[in-house]
Amino acid sequence: MRDGLTDRNFDNLAGRFSQNIYNTTKGKIRQAVLMRDLLELPLLASPCSVLDVGGGQGQLALKLAALGHQVQLSDISADMLQIAKIQAAEQGLTERLRFIHSPLQQLNSHLNGSQYPLVLCHAVLEWLADPAAAIAELKQWVAPGGMLSLMFYNKDAHRFSNILYGNFDYVKADMRVKKPVRLNPQQPLASAEVLVWCQQAGFSLLSKTGVRCFHDYLRDRSQQQSHYSELEALELQYNRQEPYASLGRYTHFILQCNG
């Protein structure tokens, strides 16, 4: 845990998230990569019960619900959940979703000891004061032999990109700033360290994928839109191969609960 950090809540910023992240090419690639990884899981070949922890506006939850799965969608932000509720109603998916307004640390009081074959936790750890403790919390909701889909902001890629941009003083300061940008993750995480936390909690790593291995590094950023289809195809082709997997701005682990 880093001194002075508190868990982030994005009430009053939901619109900015949609504009600056979800409705951009980097958001599209993120969704494409995650859905590819998830739909390869045999357990999603038939209707499945899914817990989406910190699922925000519900992009993945809605996609999974549309495929016939039952999804419990939780988030600390009421504003984020309200957007998800509206989208679910518009798509006729309300009956396949349950919306839970709760921080991760209090979620157990809403779940009553339930466990799920698949638990999602995407882009949450880097906003928490104590991400290692959060992984132990997640473990209790994964059924024995079940899967945890865990995506987090990659510190190694964050360092690499800032060196490329010439932000040398920022890198020397271990990428800490006194006044962080509100939509920039407050605590990038090293993949090796996160994997140790997961193993200590009782998970085994099944796969590792980089998310946005190339998109953010393009010299001509206009190509993020003008050549999006080609870029997405290359991301999906190479983002499980090293060294590219470790250069993704986010890292996606598929982990299995050992019991």
Side-chain angles (χ1 to χ4, degrees):
M1 182 189 302
R2 187 181 295 175
D3 293 341
L5 286 185
T6 58
D7 294 352
R8 288 296 308 275
N9 184 330
F10 294 102
D11 276 340
N12 303 317
L13 289 174
R16 288 189 61 190
F17 257 90
S18 295
Q19 179 180 352
N20 297 341
I21 298 176
Y22 298 138
N23 295 331
T24 66
T25 53
K26 61 184 179 182
K28 288 175 63 178
I29 282 183
R30 184 162 105 179
Q31 296 299 313
V33 172
L34 289 172
M35 285 302 296
R36 187 275 312 271
D37 288 359
L38 290 174
L39 293 180
E40 289 180 352
L41 296 176
L43 61 86
L44 288 182
S46 57
C48 181
S49 182
V50 180
L51 173 63
D52 190 355
V53 180
Q57 298 179 18
Q59 283 84 359
L60 278 179
L62 291 166
K63 289 179 182 295
L64 292 174
L67 293 173
H69 306 293
Q70 291 292 138
V71 185
Q72 314 278 325
L73 172 62
S74 77
D75 203 87
I76 192 174
S77 168
D79 289 352
M80 291 284 203
L81 284 177
Q82 183 59 30
I83 292 173
K85 289 178 182 178
I86 292 171
Q87 292 291 321
E90 291 177 350
Q91 297 177 36
L93 298 171
T94 301
E95 292 185 357
R96 291 184 185 159
L97 290 138
R98 177 190 175 198
F99 303 92
I100 305 171
H101 180 212
S102 173
L104 181 150
Q105 297 86 348
Q106 298 174 20
L107 185 54
N108 206 41
S109 64
H110 298 271
L111 299 179
N112 300 315
S114 297
Q115 293 185 313
Y116 300 84
L118 177 61
V119 174
L120 315 180
C121 186
H122 300 150
V124 173
L125 293 185
E126 60 268 20
W127 299 105
L128 301 180
D130 192 348
I135 292 174
E137 291 277 350
L138 290 166
K139 169 67 162 49
Q140 66 186 315
W141 303 315
V142 185
M147 306 294 178
L148 172 64
S149 171
L150 185 70
M151 186 185 76
F152 54 90
Y153 197 61
N154 180 6
K155 185 174 184 178
D156 295 323
H158 188 54
R159 180 185 296 110
F160 180 70
S161 65
N162 275 281
I163 292 173
L164 292 182
Y165 302 151
N167 298 328
F168 305 130
D169 290 340
Y170 177 61
V171 173
K172 288 179 181 178
D174 197 28
M175 297 169 290
R176 302 184 187 187
V177 292
K178 294 182 179 179
K179 186 177 181 181
V181 178
R182 289 195 293 176
L183 295 186
N184 283 358
Q186 63 184 10
Q187 189 169 198
L189 301 169
S191 296
E193 186 174 25
V194 174
L195 180 55
V196 170
W197 297 339
C198 292
Q199 292 169 336
Q200 290 173 342
F203 290 104
S204 296
L205 181 66
L206 297 183
S207 66
K208 170 187 171 181
T209 303
V211 181
R212 300 199 334 249
C213 301
F214 310 122
H215 174 280
D216 294 25
Y217 305 119
L218 291 179
R219 292 185 179 183
D220 181 357
R221 295 204 169 192
S222 69
Q223 291 183 319
Q224 293 172 347
Q225 292 188 335
S226 65
H227 291 69
Y228 176 80
S229 60
E230 296 96 323
L231 182 58
E232 180 184 297
L234 288 168
E235 294 271 354
L236 293 172
Q237 180 178 354
Y238 290 108
N239 63 3
R240 288 172 175 163
Q241 301 179 29
E242 295 294 356
Y244 314 113
S246 292
L247 291 176
R249 296 305 294 267
Y250 287 81
T251 298
H252 183 217
F253 285 164
I254 296 289
L255 303 131
Q256 186 166 33
C257 179
N258 297 329

